[in-house]
Amino acid sequence: MRQAGIRIGLLAMLLGLVGCGIVPDLKGPSNLFNLTPKSSFTAGLPRVQWQLVIDEPIAAGGLDTARIAVMPTPIEMKYFADASWTERAPRMVQTLLVESFENSGTIVAVGRQAIGLRSDFNLKTEVREFQVENFGAKVVRVRINAKLVRQPRQEIVVSRSFESTQPVADGTMQSAILAWDEALGSVLRQIVEWSITEGEASWNARRTRG
């Protein structure tokens, strides 16, 4: 009778929490993962004097989340049950882009719009692939479309898509995250080098024209 009374009491407490709009987390926190910025680049990149604002990337609804995506088939997307990114994937990519540009040592100023930076260029990106593919060979695929926009006229200077895939060594979450870090790192490096090179060419061409 006492055990039955305890169970009834616990049930009443849980129902009370739900009624207040609070759902207790009985599983505990998920495993949280983050990725790293790029810190090594091709030698000989120009040092530029213009400033760059990196907009938060846009992403399809299935990728605009902190949940970690996996595709068991080419037409189906799911999420790992007990793992997530430390923040929404587009926000994480924006942070890593800013840090990668800073690590390149080539640009006078780079940051988010929120810091009030006056931009000569904006980098607008779209996250189009950001998942583990679990059909055929298991790989992580990252694909980001980037547009370099000249200010203040909002003129698109160049646009390009960058993609990288990395094999997942085994079935562990750790292996998937390591492959993700490699795939995104390759894309980050390409975007930084492309933006610096193309932005400097546009900057110099505009100065030449006066």
Side-chain angles (χ1 to χ4, degrees), residues 36-41 96-97 99-104 181-182 184-190 192:
T36 60
K38 197 64 181 173
S39 57
S40 59
F41 300 90
L96 295 174
L97 276 168
E99 293 178 359
S100 295
F101 273 97
E102 290 173 340
N103 291 344
S104 75
D181 204 47
E182 289 291 326
L184 180 59
S186 174
V187 169
L188 293 173
R189 178 183 58 78
Q190 293 177 67
V192 169

Side-chain angles (χ1 to χ4, degrees), residues 62-63 69-79 129 131-135:
L63 298 175
V70 55
M71 294 183 68
T73 73
I75 59 172
E76 183 180 13
M77 180 175 288
K78 296 185 177 182
Y79 302 95
E129 309 277 358
Q131 71 274 338
V132 172
E133 295 179 353
N134 204 16
F135 50 91

Side-chain angles (χ1 to χ4, degrees), residues 67-188:
R67 302 178 73 185
I68 299 178
V70 55
M71 294 183 68
T73 73
I75 59 172
E76 183 180 13
M77 180 175 288
K78 296 185 177 182
Y79 302 95
F80 289 100
D82 194 33
S84 63
W85 302 119
T86 55
E87 56 185 339
R88 290 171 37 254
R91 181 73 171 179
M92 179 175 65
V93 170
Q94 182 191 32
T95 299
L96 295 174
L97 276 168
V98 171
E99 293 178 359
S100 295
F101 273 97
E102 290 173 340
N103 291 344
S104 75
T106 61
I107 189 165
V108 63
V110 60
R112 297 183 175 92
Q113 187 66 52
I115 68 172
L117 184 69
R118 176 190 61 80
S119 65
D120 300 298
F121 294 92
N122 280 49
L123 182 65
K124 298 181 179 294
T125 55
E126 179 182 0
V127 178
R128 294 183 175 176
E129 309 277 358
F130 204 73
Q131 71 274 338
V132 172
E133 295 179 353
N134 204 16
F135 50 91
K138 181 179 291 187
V139 299
V140 169
R141 186 180 304 275
V142 173
R143 182 161 63 98
I144 298 177
N145 181 263
K147 293 179 175 64
L148 192 63
V149 180
R150 182 72 182 253
Q151 300 297 341
R153 295 186 178 182
Q154 294 285 310
E155 172 191 358
I156 297 176
V157 177
V158 282
S159 177
R160 183 176 163 187
S161 187
F162 300 89
E163 182 172 354
S164 178
T165 60
Q166 289 291 328
V168 179
D170 53 46
T172 66
M173 195 70 215
Q174 185 71 17
S175 292
I177 297 301
L178 290 174
W180 228 306
D181 204 47
E182 289 291 326
L184 180 59
S186 174
V187 169
L188 293 173

Side-chain angles (χ1 to χ4, degrees), residues 1-99:
M1 291 293 294
R2 183 181 178 186
Q3 289 181 343
I6 293 172
R7 287 197 295 269
I8 292 171
L10 288 171
L11 179 60
M13 180 179 69
L14 291 172
L15 290 174
L17 289 171
V18 172
C20 295
I22 303 172
V23 181
D25 183 2
L26 301 180
K27 290 178 59 181
S30 297
N31 296 307
L32 299 178
F33 294 94
N34 199 8
L35 301 177
T36 60
K38 197 64 181 173
S39 57
S40 59
F41 300 90
T42 302
L45 285 177
R47 294 183 62 86
V48 302
Q49 297 303 310
W50 38 269
Q51 302 184 63
L52 177 68
V53 162
I54 298 176
D55 296 348
E56 182 173 319
I58 61 174
L63 298 175
D64 190 12
T65 175
R67 302 178 73 185
I68 299 178
V70 55
M71 294 183 68
T73 73
I75 59 172
E76 183 180 13
M77 180 175 288
K78 296 185 177 182
Y79 302 95
F80 289 100
D82 194 33
S84 63
W85 302 119
T86 55
E87 56 185 339
R88 290 171 37 254
R91 181 73 171 179
M92 179 175 65
V93 170
Q94 182 191 32
T95 299
L96 295 174
L97 276 168
V98 171
E99 293 178 359

